[in-house]
Structure formats: C-alpha cells, structure tokens
Amino acid sequence: MSEYLPETIGDVNAKTEHDLREPAMYKVLLHNDDYTTMEFVVQVLMAVFHKSIEDATRIMLNVHKQGIGVCGLFTYEIAETKVDTVVRMARDNGHPLKCTMEKA
C-alpha cells in the first residue's frame, strides 16, 4: 500500500518575519481645576512621576496657566497605572484633580 504525502510535510519554513515596532507611547496629562492646590499638584508630580521640585513646579504652573500639562510619555500600561495612581491619590486627599492619557 502506498501513501501520498504532500511535499510540504516535514518542510520547515526557515524564513520568519518579525514585525518589531516600538510600543505606542501615551502622554499623561493633568487638567486644571479651581479646587486642587498647587502644592498638592507639585506633590503628585514628585511622588508619581519622580519629578524634581523645579520640574514639578514648572509643570504645575503650565497646568495652572494653560489648563493642561504633560507629566510624561509612557507605554500604555504604565500610563494607565500612573493615571489611576494620580486619581486615587487625589480622591484620597479630597481633590478633584483630573488626570488623563492620550496617544502621543
């Protein structure tokens, strides 16, 4: 009894293509409001985003004057975690601080 085996059985395709792309980056943004103190915003920037007092103050003033400020660029998962941390920290301290993320 003879069997028919297609020629492709056992052949290994040694040519593989890897689509290596840098992960998408996301901006984490703070939004101005009339209730959150400037001191608290600086504290958040230092604690969550590891900013120096000078950088935290500069970003806080930008949020205050422009209505919005960029805290940093991160991959999706890290940006999402930072947003959640800021919102939780703000709520725990009685502040309505809004923090969002958007694709860079």
Side-chain angles (χ1 to χ4, degrees), residues 36-98:
T36 305
T37 64
M38 293 179 179
E39 293 80 12
F40 182 75
V41 173
V42 169
Q43 180 185 354
V44 165
L45 288 163
M46 291 173 63
V48 178
F49 299 95
H50 310 289
K51 300 294 183 185
S52 67
I53 185 86
E54 295 83 10
D55 286 343
T57 301
R58 181 183 48 77
I59 294 168
M60 176 275 297
L61 288 172
N62 196 50
V63 171
H64 181 68
K65 293 176 182 176
Q66 304 297 319
I68 198 164
V70 178
C71 303
L73 289 173
F74 307 95
T75 58
Y76 182 85
E77 291 81 10
I78 293 172
E80 186 176 48
T81 300
K82 298 246 184 225
V83 168
D84 291 344
T85 301
V86 169
V87 170
R88 188 174 348 97
M89 191 174 171
R91 297 309 170 266
D92 289 350
N93 287 277
H95 296 288
L97 183 62
K98 182 178 177 183

